[in-house]
Amino acid sequence: MKVLTLNFLTCAVKACKTTSASFPLVPKECELVSDTIAPNPTLLTNLLPRVDWPALGSIAVALGFPSLSPLPPTPADLENDTKMMADLHTLLLETQISEGSLVCANCGHEYKVKEGIANFLLPNHLV
Amino acid sequence: MSRPEDTLPPDLHYNDTEARKYTTSSRIQTIQASMTHRALELLDISSPSMILDIGCGSGLSGEILSSIDPADGGPHIWVGMDISASMLDIALQRDVEGDLMLADIGQGLPFRAGTFDAAISISAIQWLCNAESSEVSSTGRLTRFFNGLYASLKRGGRAVCQFYPKNEQQRTMISGAAIKAGFGAGILEDDPGTKNAKLYLVLTVGGSAEEGAGEDITGVVKNLDGVDVLDARRKHKEKGRKDFKKGSKAWILSKKEQMERKGKVVKHSSKYTGRKRNIAF
Ligand SMILES: C[S@@+](CC[C@H](N)C(=O)[O-])C[C@H]1O[C@@H](n2cnc3c(N)ncnc32)[C@H](O)[C@@H]1O
Ligand SMILES: [Zn+2]
């Protein structure tokens, strides 16, 4: 699972729908793999405004990456800075979680990730 | 022929054997690919996007999203949800590029608001009409699904779900649940009345005030190619009831008008309308 996707995932438990503490899910004991994906600057520019930057920062640190700048790059920054474009491409699209779990900071539910597939099936009483 | 939907829950129906059989059938590959292309045409996205594939299975639909040429606005990235571990396992073996999740869409969608540019679903959502267990109703599952889908699409986003309702009641139940969740909705039917008939539920999330709330079911598809949507009410007044010979072109056209009045979206009338097709037995 791509780091980008983790930036969009929230806890699926009913009681967590109304609280902001259920985002982002916190990666725990995660193994990472790196996949080579063709750069797609138009896609990144499209996605950037939707990325939750503070959450991305905490996810990056939890996965062992250096911390990000406090503010997201503007579209103009991104366009003029090929290194930043390449770094974001690597972090968001090429870095993938293959094993581990994602933990809700609100209810503590652990979503297991196996072979890159996160398991979001819930017992009925939590839905 | 009995429907698998009536026999077993999806995660049990799509076991290892069935998942393999399904994915390696060249007949199925062809049909799923052509429906995915049709859905993409209806989504009408012009630049690389983040797409949700609902009931992605082994990735037959999703892999097409990854392969769209830059000249045609791709390639897209996608997240696929499916309830069958066996189907997802085959997707892994086929090395699809999308992110996969083991999830039951009847439990809702675990994404932040406005995550996706668009969503597709090919041959999956009719499964929601069969309640998984006595604890949960199919109405409840449909509601959770469509509410979740509505929230996880960006404003102005669109979803296209090709589905196989068992009957009129399932069709109404599904489109009704979508409308209740806030979607503008229309149903497009390709090759109506033939054994290849295909239904596409086209859903829009209101963007701005003028095109947003209160959108009429046929208004949704007014800008789509190949769908002829007339102002149903005006038409109704202009023409009285006429009797046409059953099966004639005029009869088909008047049937189409009737269906349009009921808010159904029918295929664009063309010079081929009403012609005999070559039916091979
Ligand atoms: C006919 S297959 C289509 C797969 C893929 N979209 C394609 O075009 O090949 C239907 C899929 O819907 C999935 N499905 C059915 N009910 C589901 C549910 N409640 N949640 C998630 N997936 C579901 C099944 O597991 C199956 O993989
Ligand atoms: Zn939670």
Side-chain angles (χ1 to χ4, degrees):
Chain A
M1 187 178 64
K2 297 176 184 63
V3 168
L4 176 75
T5 306
L6 180 53
N7 193 269
F8 290 115
L9 280 174
T10 62
C11 182
V13 171
K14 188 172 188 191
C16 291
K17 290 267 185 257
T18 47
T19 161
S20 60
S22 58
F23 176 84
L25 298 175
V26 184
K28 185 180 147 196
E29 289 158 17
C30 283
E31 278 171 37
L32 302 181
V33 288
S34 165
D35 218 2
T36 310
I37 293 181
N40 190 339
T42 332
L43 177 70
L44 262 191
T45 317
N46 167 12
L47 291 172
L48 192 65
R50 250 177 287 172
V51 168
D52 185 310
W53 194 258
L56 183 63
S58 72
I59 291 168
V61 170
L63 292 175
F65 288 92
S67 52
L68 304 177
S69 64
L71 288 177
T74 64
D77 293 341
L78 200 59
E79 206 175 307
N80 298 321
D81 191 337
T82 47
K83 168 136 190 341
M84 185 182 294
M85 185 72 96
D87 286 349
L88 272 177
H89 175 73
T90 305
L91 177 63
L92 289 170
L93 298 169
E94 297 193 314
T95 308
Q96 318 218 347
I97 298 174
S98 59
E99 300 288 326
S101 47
L102 310 172
V103 187
C104 172
N106 188 55
C107 71
H109 192 90
E110 282 196 21
Y111 299 91
K112 291 264 183 290
V113 183
K114 285 185 185 141
E115 297 189 83
I117 301 182
N119 182 347
F120 272 78
L121 292 175
L122 287 179
N124 278 330
H125 71 274
L126 291 180
V127 178
Chain B
M1 207 167 72
S2 78
R3 289 166 56 90
E5 291 89 343
D6 291 336
T7 319
L8 283 173
D11 47 334
L12 298 182
H13 172 74
Y14 292 104
N15 58 17
D16 285 351
T17 318
E18 183 58 33
R20 179 157 305 282
K21 218 169 82 190
Y22 176 88
T23 313
T24 52
S25 155
S26 61
R27 185 183 61 89
I28 288 176
Q29 287 172 4
T30 312
I31 301 175
Q32 300 313 108
S34 80
M35 293 188 296
T36 307
H37 282 293
R38 180 64 162 142
L40 270 171
E41 201 179 295
L42 296 168
L43 282 177
D44 194 26
I45 13 187
S46 54
S47 60
S49 298
M50 170 123 172
I51 302 183
L52 176 65
D53 186 348
I54 299 150
C56 63
S58 48
L60 292 181
S61 41
E63 65 188 353
I64 290 172
L65 306 174
S66 318
S67 71
I68 300 297
D69 202 72
D72 300 319
H76 307 297
I77 51 167
W78 53 281
V79 175
M81 298 175 78
D82 205 281
I83 199 172
S84 156
S86 302
M87 286 293 254
L88 293 176
D89 197 43
I90 304 235
L92 271 189
Q93 292 169 32
R94 299 173 70 239
D95 217 8
V96 298
E97 283 176 41
D99 276 354
L100 306 170
M101 290 164 63
L102 181 62
D104 175 1
I105 56 168
Q107 295 192 327
L109 272 54
F111 302 100
R112 280 201 275 133
T115 294
F116 297 100
D117 293 294
I120 61 160
S121 179
I122 307 296
S123 317
I125 62 170
Q126 72 279 353
W127 281 97
L128 287 173
C129 295
N130 297 68
E132 285 305 84
S133 68
S134 50
E135 286 166 70
V136 276
S137 69
S138 50
T139 331
R141 290 169 54 73
L142 278 165
T143 303
R144 269 193 299 272
F145 166 63
F146 281 114
N147 286 346
L149 179 60
Y150 187 87
S152 63
L153 285 169
K154 70 168 189 200
R155 302 305 92 181
R158 215 178 254 185
V160 173
C161 305
Q162 178 277 325
F163 69 118
Y164 291 117
K166 178 182 182 176
N167 47 32
E168 193 70 25
Q169 188 216 340
Q170 282 197 356
R171 174 182 164 143
T172 317
M173 185 170 158
I174 288 177
S175 53
I179 291 165
K180 221 165 156 191
F183 282 108
I187 287 186
L188 169 71
E189 184 163 9
D190 277 349
D191 302 319
T194 73
K195 74 177 193 327
N196 295 323
K198 294 286 177 306
L199 287 187
Y200 296 83
L201 179 65
V202 183
L203 303 173
T204 57
V205 178
S208 53
E210 77 253 21
E211 54 165 13
E215 211 168 15
D216 153 80
I217 187 164
T218 51
V220 179
V221 287
K222 62 178 176 279
N223 298 321
L224 300 176
D225 281 351
V227 187
D228 203 13
V229 180
L230 307 161
D231 186 320
R233 279 143 303 183
R234 187 163 41 79
K235 267 261 151 40
H236 193 49
K237 265 193 237 144
E238 277 169 12
K239 299 198 176 175
R241 279 179 65 98
K242 291 191 186 125
D243 284 325
F244 299 109
K245 188 167 167 274
K246 196 169 175 183
S248 71
K249 180 160 182 173
W251 179 82
I252 294 175
L253 290 176
S254 106
K255 272 273 174 248
K256 283 192 171 187
E257 272 176 36
Q258 270 176 33
M259 282 165 71
E260 279 157 2
R261 277 200 294 275
K262 289 188 199 146
K264 293 174 185 169
V265 178
V266 297
K267 204 176 179 188
H268 190 78
S269 300
S270 73
K271 60 179 178 178
Y272 301 110
T273 304
R275 283 200 192 167
K276 286 231 168 56
R277 304 198 191 215
N278 289 321
I279 304 169
F281 291 100

